[in-house]
Amino acid sequence: MTDQPHAHHATRDPHPAPDTESDPGAGPGAGSAPDSRPGSDSASGVNSPDYSAVVERALGALDLDTKARLLSGQDMWSLPAVPAIGLRSLVMSDGPIGVRGRLWSAEDPSVALPSPTALAATWDPELARRAGRLLAQEARRKGVHVLLAPTVNLHRSPLGGRHFECYAEDPLLTGMIGAGYVRGVQEGGVGTTVKHFVGNDAETDRFTVDNRIAPRPLRELYLAAFEHIVTHARPWGVMTAYNQVNGTTMTEHHHLVTEVLRGEWGFDGCNVSDWTAARHTVRALRGGLDVAMPGPRTVFGAPLAAAVRAGLLAETEVDAAVRRVLVLAARTGALDGVPPAVAPADVPQGIDGRAVAREVARRAVVLLRNEPPGQAPEEDAAPVLPLDAAALRRVAVIGAAARDARVLGGGSATVFPAQIVSPLAGLRAALPDGVEVAFATGADPRTRVPHARDGFTLSARYLAADGRLLAEHQQFDGRVQALGTLPDGVTRQNLHAVELTGSFTPRTSGTHTLAVAGSGRLRLTLGGTVLFDGEGAGQEGADPFEALLNPAERRIGADLTEGEELPLTLRFVPQSLGLGEGADALTFVLGHSEPQLDGDAEIEEAVRAAAGADVAIVVVATTEEVESEGFDRTDLRLPGRQDELVARVAAANPRTVVVVNSGSPVELPWRDEVPALLLSWFPGQEAGSALADVLLGAHEPGGRLPTTWPARLADAPVTTVTPTDGTLHYTEGPFIGYRAWQHTTTAPAYPFGHGLGYTDWEYECLDTTPDSVRVRLHNAGARAGREVVQIYLAPTGDTSAEPERPARWLVGFATVEAGPGESTETEIPLPARAFEVWSEPDGGWRRIPGTYTVEAGRSSADLRLAAQITAE
C-alpha cells in the first residue's frame, strides 16, 4: 500500500511510495517493485550512487580468507576493517528506542524514546520518521553505522514476552510505522536491519522452536509487514531470526530469504543473523545469510574459507555475500573512495532528543475512558480530564511506578538515558505553586529491589589484580554492565574486579533494603561496615541472555538516618567474563528501596491520601519480571496488589485517574469503577513531563490502540506461545488480533484502534473512487484536536464460495487536525492488495472480485460512515 498523507488537510509525504496499481503483487497494498540495483533507494527517499564499480574493484583486491572474515563479526558488535581497500570497521548497535553503541553502560548515555508499541500507538508514520532521524543522529554521535532495528514481528498473542518491542497486531499498521522509522534512520545516513525475519512472535524456546505457519497466514500476516517495509522504505539490512519456520531455521531459509525477500521483493541489502543464530556454514550461506554475528568464532570466517577449499562451496557464492557487505559499508560511509548514500550536508542535524522523546510519549498516550465522576449530578457532570490546574489544591499521586518510573522494556533494547522524569516529578514540576502533591506508594509491583538511584552518587572503577585502575566512569544507577565491549583499557585478561563506589544519603530514616546481584564474589561496604561478603547467585534454567541481565539477588537490611551521607563500595569479582569467545560481558547490581510499611498499611496510607485530595492519580505498571526479552508471560494480571490498590482508591475518591504503564495488555478488573483511564506504554525518559502535558491539557492524548485489549486472558483468541515437542503450530491461521475477535461472541475490553481525545468529532461524509477514499470531519468540540481516521474494508453479499476472510480489515489510516468548529478532510488510498488473498493452490496473490463496504471510523468497533464499492 502506498503511504498515505498523515498531516492536516491531507498534506502528502514528500517521498511518495510507488503507484499502488502498477503491480498488484508488490507489497501489502503496495504497487510497483522499486529499482533493485545495488545502491538504488528510490522508494526510501534516499538517492544513493551506484556502487557496482567500486565494490567490484574492492572485491577483486581481496583473497578468500579476507572475504570470509568480512562475513563474520570480529567481536560482539562490529565487522573487521580492511585498510587495503579503504574499508573501516562496520559497527552495529541495538536501537529500537535508543542507540546503545559499543558500550552497554552509563558511560555514554543515550536518548531513550518510548517503546515501539508506544510509537505504533501514535498511528503516525511521519512521527516515526522523525524518531528515526533522531536515532540516526545518536548513532553518528556514537560511531554506529547500522541499527539493529526495527522489530516488526506481530502481536500474535498478548502473552508474547517481547510484545512491547513490536509495533502492532495488524501488518499494515506495523508496516507503515516501520517504514517511517526506516526512512528516518536511513535519511540520517545510518542503516537499519528489520527484524526478526520471520515468525519470531514469542520468546519460549526462541532459539530452537519450529513455528509451523501455513502459506496464507505467513504471507498475509507475518511476511506482510516486512514486505511493506522492503518495497516502500528499502532498508539496507534485515536480521534473520533464531527460530525455524516450517522445519527450516531462518538463517538457512533459502525460500524465504533468497526467493521471497530478495527475488520477489527486490531486497538488495545485507542479511545479518540474530546473535548466535547461524548454525551451519554451508546451509547458512546458501540460505542467503551474509553476516554471522557475533564474532570472532562463527560458522563463517575460517570455517567458510575451509568449506570453499574443500569444494563444499564455490568462491563465487562467498563473493555475492561480500558484495552486499561492501554495499552496506558504502551506503553508511564506511568505505573510502565513494560517497555515502546520504551526503553529510544532507544529514538532519541539531535534533532535540528530549523534545522528540516527549512528543512521542504524549502522542502515544491512549485515553481509554473519560467519564464524569460517579457521584456528580448528571446535569453538571463533566469528564475528569483534562485537569483544571487552577482549581486544584491537593493532588494525591499514588503507586511505586509513579516515583520509580519504568520507562523501558527489558532485554537487549535497554539503554541508559542521562535522566528520567518520573510521573511524580513531572507532575510536581508542571503543577502551579501552591498545589500540594501528596505521594503514597500504595502497592509495589516489584519482586526485585530497584536499582540504586535516588540519593546515590556512584562511579564504576575497573581494577587489575594488583589494584591498578584500568578505567573509571560515572554511573546512572546501581547497575554496572558491559556486553560485547569492555571500557577502553579493560580486557578479560587484565580485569580482576570492578568496584561500584561513591556515597549514599538516605532521604528517610528507618530500615532500608539493599540488594546485591551478580555471578561472582560480592562485597558491600556502607559507612565503613561490611554488610555483605559472599558469592552471588546465578539464575538457573533461564534464557542465557536473561540470566546475564537478571542474576539472582541477595538482600540486606540497614538501619539508616535521614540526611547522613555514607561512603559506599560494592566490590565485584566476576566468575567469568562473557558468554563465549569474543562476547565479553559482565553484570552486577546494587539495589535499594526505602523503608516500607507492610502491604496492608501501604494501601491504607494511599486510601487516606486519596480521600483528602481533589484528584487521585494512580500509576500502575508491569515490571521486568513480567515483560522482558527472554521469556513469555503466563498471565495478564498486574503484578502485586495493584488491582486492589486501584479499587480501594477509586472507592475513596470519585475523581480517580489511573495510568497503566505496560508494554502489552493487562487485565483491568476495575476499569468501569474509575472515571479516567490512560495507557502510557513504556514512555521513555520524558515519561513524567509527557504525562503532565496530557493530564493538565497542554496537549491532547493522541494515541489509539495498536493491539486489542481483552478483559480476561481466557477471552483472548490466541494464547498458545509454548511449543509442544519443539513445534508451535499457528492453528489460528490468518485470524489474530481484531480479525480473530470478530469471530468470537465475547467483546474485548477495548477494541483495536480505540482511543479518546479532548474534543468531539463528527464524521460528515465519505466519498470513494476505485482506488481512494475521501473523508470529511468536523471538530464539534471546544478545543483543537487530532483524530486518527481509520478505513476498514468488509466483503458483502454471498461470500460462501470465497476463502474465509475476516469480517473487516484495516486498509488505510490518516491523522487530521482541526480547531474548534473547523472541518477538515483527508484522502486515503485504497490499495490493490486489500482486495487480494494468498492463494495456496496458485502460489500467488488472487484478487477477489465482488461488492465491498468501505467503512470509516474511530476504531475497528466504532465505524461512523460506510459506502459500497465494486472490485472487478
Side-chain angles (χ1 to χ4, degrees):
M1 173 177 179
T2 313
D3 284 305
Q4 64 259 31
H6 286 268
H8 183 37
H9 295 303
T11 302
R12 292 193 175 274
D13 191 321
H15 299 291
D19 177 70
T20 58
E21 295 300 316
S22 55
D23 180 2
S32 58
D35 188 346
S36 60
R37 293 172 300 171
S40 174
D41 296 301
S42 57
S44 70
V46 175
N47 297 311
S48 63
D50 186 340
Y51 296 119
S52 301
V54 71
V55 164
E56 292 305 316
R57 283 197 302 271
L59 184 64
L62 302 177
D63 59 26
L64 174 60
D65 291 308
T66 305
K67 293 175 187 176
R69 190 161 52 89
L70 270 180
L71 305 184
S72 179
Q74 68 175 350
D75 53 29
M76 183 66 82
W77 305 116
S78 67
L79 297 182
V82 184
I85 61 169
L87 178 65
R88 292 180 294 284
S89 177
L90 198 68
V91 178
M92 308 177 198
S93 171
D94 278 308
I97 56 92
V99 183
R100 186 174 60 241
R102 285 177 176 265
L103 290 178
W104 198 353
S105 74
E107 182 177 357
D108 184 14
S110 308
V111 173
L113 294 175
S115 68
T117 303
L119 188 60
T122 70
W123 287 60
D124 191 341
E126 185 58 32
L127 185 57
R129 187 177 190 170
R130 290 175 51 210
R133 287 173 171 173
L134 166 65
L135 293 175
Q137 176 177 279
E138 284 279 280
R140 294 192 308 273
R141 180 176 66 82
K142 290 173 174 275
V144 169
H145 301 96
V146 179
L147 287 189
L148 304 173
T151 304
V152 300
N153 302 107
L154 296 186
H155 293 170
R156 173 179 172 265
S157 168
L159 293 177
R162 217 165 172 177
H163 193 289
F164 62 87
E165 196 178 317
C166 309
Y167 289 131
E169 68 185 24
D170 180 80
L172 177 64
L173 177 57
T174 296
M176 293 187 67
I177 297 295
Y181 178 104
V182 167
R183 282 196 186 95
V185 173
Q186 294 186 173
E187 286 165 353
V190 175
T192 56
T193 53
V194 187
K195 64 184 188 183
H196 308 86
F197 189 75
V198 61
N200 187 182
D201 309 301
E203 294 294 282
T204 304
D205 295 343
R206 60 175 176 157
F207 296 104
T208 58
V209 62
D210 181 10
N211 293 322
R212 298 299 177 102
I213 313 173
R216 185 181 167 203
L218 184 60
R219 288 284 188 157
E220 294 184 10
L221 296 177
Y222 303 103
L223 287 172
F226 289 94
E227 184 180 8
H228 183 96
I229 295 168
V230 167
T231 57
H232 287 76
R234 299 307 305 276
W236 299 343
V238 162
M239 180 188 290
T240 39
Y242 293 120
N243 55 277
Q244 302 175 58
V245 170
N246 299 330
T248 303
T249 188
M250 281 308 306
T251 54
E252 302 168 10
H253 214 303
H254 182 272
H255 170 62
L256 291 180
V257 172
T258 302
E259 296 176 1
V260 177
L261 174 65
R262 296 194 190 281
E264 292 183 26
W265 304 346
F267 174 67
D268 69 347
C270 188
N271 175 13
V272 179
S273 76
D274 204 342
W275 267 225
T276 73
R279 298 173 176 92
H280 192 277
T281 301
V282 174
R283 292 198 301 266
L285 191 73
R286 288 199 168 145
L289 185 67
D290 298 322
V291 173
M293 292 295 292
R297 180 174 294 179
T298 76
V299 299
F300 288 170
L304 180 57
V308 173
R309 291 189 175 104
L312 301 175
L313 289 165
E315 189 168 352
T316 54
E317 294 176 274
V318 176
D319 290 348
V322 174
R323 283 188 184 95
R324 290 189 281 264
V325 171
L326 292 174
V327 168
L328 178 61
R331 284 169 164 163
T332 59
L335 182 63
D336 291 340
V338 63
V342 181
D346 295 333
V347 168
Q349 305 281 351
I351 303 171
D352 186 334
R354 291 186 60 187
V356 173
R358 185 168 179 169
E359 181 177 0
V360 174
R362 66 187 177 224
R363 289 276 307 281
V365 171
V366 177
L367 180 59
L368 293 179
R369 178 179 171 88
N370 193 20
E371 301 289 340
Q375 298 175 11
E378 186 174 345
E379 61 272 15
D380 297 326
V384 171
L385 297 178
L387 300 174
D388 181 1
L392 298 175
R393 294 295 177 266
R394 191 170 191 269
V395 174
V397 179
I398 295 168
R403 180 190 59 201
D404 304 314
R406 186 183 182 196
V407 300
L408 308 167
S412 61
T414 304
V415 296
F416 293 88
Q419 65 171 27
I420 289 176
V421 182
S422 70
L424 178 60
L427 285 163
R428 280 179 167 159
L431 286 167
D433 293 340
V435 177
E436 179 188 356
V437 178
F439 171 75
T441 301
D444 194 329
R446 296 166 295 203
T447 61
R448 295 176 65 94
V449 177
H451 302 156
R453 185 181 303 163
D454 292 333
F456 289 81
T457 301
L458 300 169
S459 63
R461 293 166 49 86
Y462 293 77
L463 304 172
D466 60 3
R468 179 168 43 93
L469 181 64
L470 303 173
E472 182 175 7
H473 61 75
Q474 298 299 306
Q475 279 291 122
F476 171 71
D477 60 15
R479 184 188 190 97
V480 179
Q481 67 180 31
L483 180 59
T485 304
L486 296 170
D488 290 343
V490 181
T491 67
R492 63 169 60 197
Q493 290 76 27
N494 66 14
L495 179 64
H496 173 68
V498 185
E499 289 184 348
L500 181 65
T501 184
S503 66
F504 172 45
T505 305
R507 296 184 297 185
T508 57
S509 297
T511 302
H512 292 243
T513 300
L514 297 165
V516 297
S519 296
R521 187 80 180 181
L522 292 155
R523 178 184 172 93
L524 175 63
T525 306
L526 180 65
T529 301
V530 177
L531 299 182
F532 180 86
D533 190 355
E535 294 293 326
Q539 189 114 335
E540 295 182 4
D543 179 297
F545 192 78
E546 173 64 15
L548 171 71
L549 292 185
N550 294 304
E553 64 182 12
R554 308 284 197 186
R555 297 188 180 188
I556 312 103
D559 292 329
L560 305 176
T561 302
E562 176 185 355
E564 181 182 350
E565 183 177 1
L566 300 170
L568 176 149
T569 297
L570 174 59
R571 182 179 175 87
F572 174 63
V573 180
Q575 289 177 347
S576 63
L577 286 172
L579 298 171
E581 183 182 349
D584 294 330
L586 68 83
T587 298
F588 72 100
V589 176
L590 172 66
H592 168 259
S593 62
E594 294 187 329
Q596 292 182 317
L597 303 171
D598 64 50
D600 291 339
E602 292 277 15
I603 291 179
E604 291 297 336
E605 181 184 56
V607 170
R608 287 193 298 272
D614 299 317
V615 64
I617 300 169
V618 186
V619 182
V620 294
T622 59
T623 68
E624 289 190 6
E625 299 103 80
V626 173
E627 289 189 81
S628 179
E629 178 181 351
F631 57 88
D632 289 314
R633 300 168 70 187
T634 57
D635 59 58
L636 299 185
R637 295 189 296 273
L638 283 169
R641 298 175 65 178
Q642 294 181 103
D643 286 329
E644 178 185 353
L645 172 67
V646 172
R648 293 283 304 279
V649 169
N653 190 328
R655 292 177 58 81
T656 293
V657 178
V658 181
V659 180
V660 179
N661 184 20
S662 67
S664 52
V666 293
E667 295 174 357
L668 308 171
W670 35 261
R671 65 186 183 279
D672 294 331
E673 301 168 19
V674 299
L677 174 58
L678 306 98
L679 307 179
S680 65
W681 314 103
F682 296 143
Q685 68 177 61
E686 300 300 315
S689 299
L691 181 61
D693 287 342
V694 169
L695 294 180
L696 299 177
H699 292 272
E700 189 178 37
R704 303 293 184 267
L705 285 180
T707 198
T708 307
W709 276 50
R712 305 178 306 153
L713 174 60
D715 298 335
V718 182
T719 58
T720 304
V721 294
T722 301
T724 301
D725 296 328
T727 300
L728 181 62
H729 292 274
Y730 284 35
T731 56
E732 67 279 356
F735 298 99
I736 66 170
Y738 68 92
R739 290 169 164 83
W741 281 96
Q742 295 165 358
H743 285 251
T744 69
T745 58
T746 303
Y750 300 101
F752 175 77
H754 174 68
L756 307 174
Y758 289 157
T759 190
D760 296 316
W761 290 92
E762 295 175 352
Y763 280 61
E764 295 183 326
C765 64
L766 181 155
D767 296 317
T768 66
T769 69
D771 57 6
S772 70
V773 178
R774 183 174 290 274
V775 181
R776 184 173 180 84
L777 301 88
H778 176 71
N779 182 351
R783 57 176 289 161
R786 180 193 302 266
E787 175 73 331
V788 178
V789 181
Q790 302 167 40
I791 305 297
Y792 295 85
L793 192 65
T796 58
D798 183 9
T799 60
S800 59
E802 303 170 3
E804 186 181 16
R805 290 186 285 175
R808 61 180 52 83
W809 52 92
L810 183 73
V811 296
F813 58 90
T815 58
V816 297
E817 296 179 3
E822 293 181 354
S823 294
T824 186
E825 63 180 29
T826 184
E827 184 176 3
I828 302 171
L830 277 179
R833 179 60 59 79
F835 301 92
E836 298 174 342
V837 299
W838 181 260
S839 172
E840 296 184 13
D842 300 332
W845 293 99
R846 180 164 70 89
R847 187 174 177 88
I848 306 296
T851 302
Y852 293 81
T853 300
V854 178
E855 301 169 311
R858 312 195 73 237
S859 77
S860 59
D862 183 3
L863 300 166
R864 304 294 181 86
L865 298 171
Q868 287 196 335
I869 62 170
T870 300
E872 301 297 336

